[in-house]
Amino acid sequence: GIRNLKDLEPSYCSHTAFIQYTKSSLKIKLNYYYIFFVKGNMRRHSFGVAFLFLLTTLLNVNAGFFSEPETLVTCGSIIKLQHSSTKYRLHSHEVAYGSGSGQQSVTSFEGSDDANSYWVVTGPNGGGCAQGTALKTGDVIRLQHMGTRKWLHSHLHKSPLSGNQEVSCYGGDTASDTGDHWKLDLDKASQWTKDSKMRLAHVDTGAYLGTHDKKFNRPIAGQQEVYAKKTKEHNGWWLATEGVYFPIPGSGNEEEL
């Protein structure tokens, strides 16, 4: 009979690993089959392998039924935005541009563990957006830099490296204007969700937030230029990644992610 996992065929191990990522309620049922086929006194376990292969194939076909619900990006959420192509994260700090507006610079940063890459999702200036409100294509938001309390902003100054439209951080808790407004443009989802592609269009100018591999020297060496551009292009895709996501009130998902 089978004494331990070392006695299992490689394909059996891979299917078992897949099962461990299913919902806990389903895992309990599958563990029953594991006990039957692995710990039972079976001289041959080929039938058990074939059964679990069929079972996990059915799970894969019905993945949408068994998978956890998608995490919504809602008003009040504190998030990092990762650039889809370069994997750098939208970032700011108390370093001013040496040209253009001279306002606080916005860059993209390679590391995933820097606190200066956190942004708070809020509604438009004067419009309000209750914590936990779901967001969709066409909604206007502001992003407030968590560290400095300034707003993601754009205007008609030229960006320092590429000559596109400059993106900066501006204002504060009591100072904001329409230059801080960005409109959501989702790729496929009906609502903004974690790890799904989206664009941000600057409301005043119609330009899209982007970044590329053009990098600064000191004092922010290695960080990429962030800019806005009026054409839709692959450099305009972003994803919400690490952060604290506030659920819709009463949804039953009252846990921090």
Side-chain angles (χ1 to χ4, degrees), residues 216-233:
F216 290 98
N217 295 315
R218 291 183 179 182
I220 49 176
Q223 296 182 33
Q224 294 182 163
E225 180 189 55
V226 168
Y227 60 87
K229 195 172 182 180
K230 291 193 175 182
T231 56
K232 289 185 177 182
E233 56 181 17

Side-chain angles (χ1 to χ4, degrees), residues 35-231:
I35 293 168
F36 179 80
F37 289 118
V38 175
K39 295 184 179 178
N41 294 320
M42 295 182 66
R43 293 181 179 276
R44 299 178 63 84
H45 60 278
S46 58
F47 174 74
V49 174
F51 179 83
L52 283 180
F53 176 79
L54 174 60
L55 187 60
T56 53
T57 299
L58 291 173
L59 289 177
N60 190 47
V61 170
N62 294 282
F65 177 80
F66 292 112
S67 61
E68 296 290 345
E70 292 178 317
T71 301
L72 292 174
V73 183
T74 59
C75 286
S77 294
I78 304 166
I79 65 172
K80 291 184 178 181
L81 282 180
Q82 183 186 64
H83 187 238
S84 178
S85 297
T86 66
K87 310 305 180 187
Y88 279 49
R89 286 160 177 79
L90 188 68
H91 184 88
S92 192
H93 35 232
E94 293 181 339
V95 178
Y97 284 123
S99 61
S101 69
Q103 294 175 2
Q104 182 172 301
S105 60
V106 173
T107 62
S108 56
F109 184 80
E110 185 174 16
S112 62
D113 58 351
D114 195 297
N116 278 327
S117 299
Y118 279 113
W119 302 83
V120 183
V121 181
T122 73
N125 187 28
C129 187
Q131 181 176 297
T133 301
L135 298 163
K136 61 186 183 304
T137 288
D139 284 345
V140 175
I141 63 168
R142 291 178 296 166
L143 292 176
Q144 186 175 37
H145 186 243
M146 189 173 176
T148 64
R149 309 302 295 171
K150 295 181 182 292
W151 304 97
L152 186 70
H153 183 88
S154 193
H155 37 222
L156 296 179
H157 291 282
K158 289 186 177 181
S159 62
L161 300 185
S162 64
N164 288 307
Q165 187 171 303
E166 182 189 274
V167 174
S168 64
C169 267
Y170 170 80
D173 288 327
T174 59
S176 178
D177 62 26
T178 58
D180 308 331
H181 289 175
W182 300 84
K183 185 180 292 186
L184 281 172
D185 180 12
L186 307 180
D187 181 23
K188 296 177 181 178
S190 59
Q191 294 178 310
W192 190 10
T193 58
K194 182 175 180 283
D195 298 320
S196 63
K197 289 166 63 175
M198 47 77 73
R199 292 186 178 100
L200 285 175
H202 188 241
V203 172
D204 280 358
T205 63
Y208 291 87
L209 184 73
T211 189
H212 47 200
D213 58 5
K214 293 183 183 295
K215 294 181 172 63
F216 290 98
N217 295 315
R218 291 183 179 182
I220 49 176
Q223 296 182 33
Q224 294 182 163
E225 180 189 55
V226 168
Y227 60 87
K229 195 172 182 180
K230 291 193 175 182
T231 56

